[in-house]
Amino acid sequence: MPQTIYRIGHSLFRVTGQLAFGYRVIHPERLIEDGPALIASNHASFLDPPMVGIAYDDPIWYLAHKTLFRHPFFNWLYRHWQSIPVDQDNPDFTSLKTIIKKLREGDRVLIFPEGQRSFDGELLEGQPGVGLVIAKSRAPVQPVRLFGTHEAMARGRSWPRLRRITLVVGEPIYFTDEELKAKGKDEYQALANRVMDAIAALELPEGREPGW
């Protein structure tokens, strides 16, 4: 049953993405389809999680604000959609430990290194917790960048607009053993900065700008 519920949601979001937003993936051959991966994306819209998730054929894990789990139905739904509750108001290590556990078990987990949605669509600084997850899990990082989700549903909007959405996939980052020895906030921040630099370097192909 859990896989069925996930597949139904995945199919609905994929069809909606293609029909309503002209969704396309640039460099899909770079996607890590087997084994663990920390999928790291920019974050500017509520549309971001499904627009990254539908790029993958197999299920991945997501993070979701714990308030979304309060209602029994949504608690059931989000857990079937492989969502990990996160308390952004009072952060602790519970969600980080769960992410690390999933990665060590060979799963793929989507995170947003900036820790919040950008108001203007511009990239924010990555958070050191990302570096901690990288160091403790030793998983490769899959940098991806979404274009068009801010235009489609910027922070503060209740309903999306029809705008083209494109996901650009970067080359996986495999950290060295020396880098994975990172300890402390500054060294974790350095790992997070490297991930954000990889995301920032991703660009749309010439002639394919967001919007219609």
Side-chain angles (χ1 to χ4, degrees), residues 4-211:
T4 300
I5 300 301
Y6 185 100
R7 291 292 182 188
I8 291 173
H10 182 276
S11 298
L12 290 174
F13 280 119
R14 180 173 277 185
V15 170
T16 301
Q18 292 170 345
L19 295 181
F21 303 111
Y23 178 79
R24 293 292 184 274
V25 179
I26 306 299
H27 296 307
E29 73 281 357
R30 296 175 177 173
L31 291 170
I32 299 176
E33 294 283 8
D34 296 307
L38 186 65
I39 306 163
S41 173
N42 59 314
H43 197 19
S45 170
F46 279 134
L47 296 174
D48 296 340
M51 291 300 106
V52 174
I54 60 176
Y56 292 84
D57 291 329
D58 293 327
I60 67 172
W61 285 85
Y62 305 83
L63 307 184
H65 199 289
K66 73 169 190 176
T67 55
L68 297 172
F69 295 78
R70 289 176 179 172
H71 189 281
F73 171 75
F74 289 108
N75 178 64
W76 173 86
L77 182 62
Y78 278 103
R79 291 190 186 281
H80 279 76
W81 280 352
Q82 299 198 163
S83 299
I84 300 168
V86 176
D87 188 347
Q88 293 176 310
D89 298 322
N90 299 290
D92 57 26
F93 286 102
T94 302
S95 57
L96 292 179
K97 289 179 179 178
T98 303
I99 296 169
I100 293 167
K101 179 176 181 289
K102 293 298 180 185
L103 291 169
R104 287 177 173 175
E105 291 173 347
D107 292 316
R108 288 162 296 170
V109 182
L110 169 63
I111 64 165
F112 299 105
E114 298 155 288
Q116 62 176 315
R117 284 171 293 144
S118 167
F119 280 100
D120 58 6
E122 297 298 318
L123 297 179
L124 305 175
E125 184 178 28
Q127 299 300 304
V130 176
L132 184 151
V133 171
I134 294 169
K136 298 300 183 183
S137 70
R138 305 182 69 85
V141 173
Q142 176 86 79
V144 299
R145 186 172 183 179
L146 283 161
F147 292 89
T149 55
H150 172 72
E151 290 77 9
M153 193 175 180
R155 185 168 179 171
R157 286 189 61 88
S158 299
W159 296 97
R161 297 181 293 180
L162 300 183
R163 296 293 187 273
R164 179 182 289 121
I165 294 176
T166 303
L167 181 75
V168 181
V169 182
E171 295 285 357
I173 303 173
Y174 295 94
F175 292 89
T176 65
D177 288 338
E178 190 63 31
E179 289 175 308
L180 294 174
K181 292 178 182 177
K183 291 183 179 180
K185 184 176 180 180
D186 290 343
E187 293 184 5
Y188 292 149
Q189 184 66 59
L191 296 180
N193 291 344
R194 182 176 171 189
V195 172
M196 289 306 302
D197 288 345
I199 294 173
L202 299 175
E203 299 179 349
L204 283 171
E206 187 175 350
R208 189 176 176 83
E209 294 300 321

